[in-house]
Amino acid sequence: MQTANSLLVKVQPLGGFNKPLTYLVNKVTAKGIKIGSLVQIPLGNRKVSGIIWSFECEQPSNKHKIREIIKVIQETPAITPDLMTLANWISKYYACSKESCLEAMIPSAIRDGMKPKSQRLICLKKNNRDISNISKQANAQRKIIDFLEIHKDPLPASELIKKTFTSFSTVNNLLKKGILSETHEIVERVAYEDESPDSSMKVPSNIQLTTEQKKAASEIIDDLNLKTFKTRLLSGVTGSGKTEVYFEAMQHALKQGGTVLFLVPEVALAPQTVSRLRERFYSEKVVVWHSHLSAGERVDAWRNLTCGNARIVVGARSAIFAPLPNLRLIIVDEEHETSYKQEDNPRYQARDVAVVRAKANGSVCVLGSATPSLESINNVHKRKYEISKLSKRVDDRELPLVHLIDMRREKDKNRTTTIFSVPLVEALRERFANREQSILFLNRRGFNTTMLCPECGHVENCKDCSIALTYHRTDGYLKCHLCGFRKPSPLSCNQCKSFDLRKRGHGTQRIEDLVSDLLPKSAKIRRVDADVMTKRNLFRETLSDFRKGKIDVLVGTQMIAKGLDFPKVTLVGVIDADLPLRMEDFRASEKAFQMLVQVSGRSGRGNRAGEVFIQTYAPHSPSIQYARKADLDGFLEEELEMRKEFNYPPYRHLIRHLFRSRSQAKVDYYCSEWAKLVNKSQLEEITVKGPAPAPLEKIKGQYRYHLFYFTSSVNSALKALGKIREKFPLDPDVHDILDVDAYSIT
Ligand code: ADP
Ligand code: ZN
Ligand code: ZN
């Protein structure tokens, strides 16, 4: 088959096929292509694009006629070799198609072969004798020549015609006559170009690292010098200056001639980081990489990276796929954030992929957090990761003073429960009077409700799963979303017999209104929540205004709990600390603890000491007690013990198997039939829980049921399940999805 004039290559199609196929390419064309080049190939009766995957092909059995590549779209590799390795790993580990990984890795503009934007620069040809031949009648042409005889620098064609009131056809005519000459220049579209550091957040450039910072930085630098793969957890209390440690390490990686990837948990945090990076590494080009980039911005960012123009990338989850050659250092800031998990296909966890990518490159991965995930802590215990600690805030600033407010005792005149406790209201008023800033944090996740007793704080839990039961309005039952246990919801509290059981929740809007009533009219109160977040720049503007002191009180959800640094904030109020505890999730305590420590950490980061007021119905719950003392080790010890007892993550992996259908009967039937089949097979590798209706039982007309597998080896569990699944035909109306290392169980 391999003829004198052509070669065999393996091509991974981008469109409808999950493994590389063999194609023919003629030897002349083959000279230019490399592994990773983008080509167009015939697939069935379609033409699709594909990636050159390898040059090694065994001679095919001559049954099928091997087809020829149609054309080369782009010789420059569309993907780096380490990303190709990563695509293989992700598709296997997360049970998704290789194609969906490649789609996540190669921006669609690149896949379509989009070229960088260029513009024509026009000038007069030197020593041109023909100029005098332009007749006086050719008025427009004359104007252009006259203009360019004075303005000698080349200028864009569009500008030239604007200034001379002429047209493109006149310019083109002169080009044809050889009187003008043109050159092409690439125009760059830079995301966050305006993100130059604003003065209020300038970091003194003569910053002296603390002893702890120096130690942590030199530990990472030692790792870098070893030039082998290493993962290090940087566990540092809020305000301990982790960013400066990252910067020192980055400096070293750049000095080694390498590139650096800096992941932040939220797109909204990218500008803050970019601005600090552009100030510190002013001679480097910093590229922002995230899903909101326009096609043009992305093509330019992509080109800057692949040709080595830019050596630093900042971005959220998807930036883990930025095509950086010679990657030396990956930093994952706020590594505990669940936003690193992608909840769509491919369902990867960017923090874990970061570790795998570092491994593929023999480079260093740094995971940083004030509240590390139990997964990472467990990896430190298992000696897979090293750890560096920052135990103090910089400049000996104190951690804020935390007050717990027992909301069971806070009643208003009518003896009904209130939203704001008296101490919090007083503190807010005092801060406003002193012109200090406050943040009010509201944990609004609740799409469904658990039963809370406002008298004693009791929450109904499932006895088998130790997670809160969820109240279903439709039938009045309490249900467990892990194992499916259900019982009629009680009329009175199981603990104190009070009849005042409630299912509650209030929005940011409501809080904002209430605060306006509490404070003088001149107080400026702003809200940041998911609604506000949908407008691209509003969130950035709000944060910038807050930083400049134009806002007195910021009211917000999760968004403002993360990594933000506002030195003028001296008060943080947590309206409802218990909501995560009432969530039907075994990670509830971990989430509550992280949330409380992180929001508290927003207070007192400047010269004045900070205070935190946490309103709670469960002041004695361990996660709240540990958070109050910012006692990470205490919390970890207790929580790990619980996880171990139930054999939950991080001791085993959790795989969620979700079934969906428009027909409730069908999804119920197939999910339980499947569960029976799996249980009957008695797989050693997995423990099955469920099936149960998902907490969000119906989304967009689709009914959702799920079951959970707990396993110590994802690969062998997937293999075993795959074998059973082959013999289990699903109704065409029912679809199933596997979510490996699932966080969301909604
Ligand atoms: P973290 O991410 O650990 O919460 P940051 O890195 O945001 O903390 O640092 C908190 C603040 O302390 C920032 O304003 C930073 O500029 C400042 N800072 C960091 N290191 C030092 C230092 N060695 N000396 C003085 N200020 C510092
Ligand atoms: Zn249960
Ligand atoms: Zn009670």
Side-chain angles (χ1 to χ4, degrees), residues 10 12 60 210 225 267 273-274 293 390 400 507 529 610 734:
K10 279 243 157 93
Q12 171 64 51
T210 63
N225 283 337
V267 179
T273 310
V274 169
L293 293 185
L390 302 174
D529 57 16
V734 183

Side-chain angles (χ1 to χ4, degrees), residues 1 24 61-68:
M1 200 61 203
L24 272 173
S61 57
N62 273 338
K63 276 190 202 140
H64 303 282
K65 183 175 169 337
I66 297 186
R67 302 169 77 178
E68 198 156 343

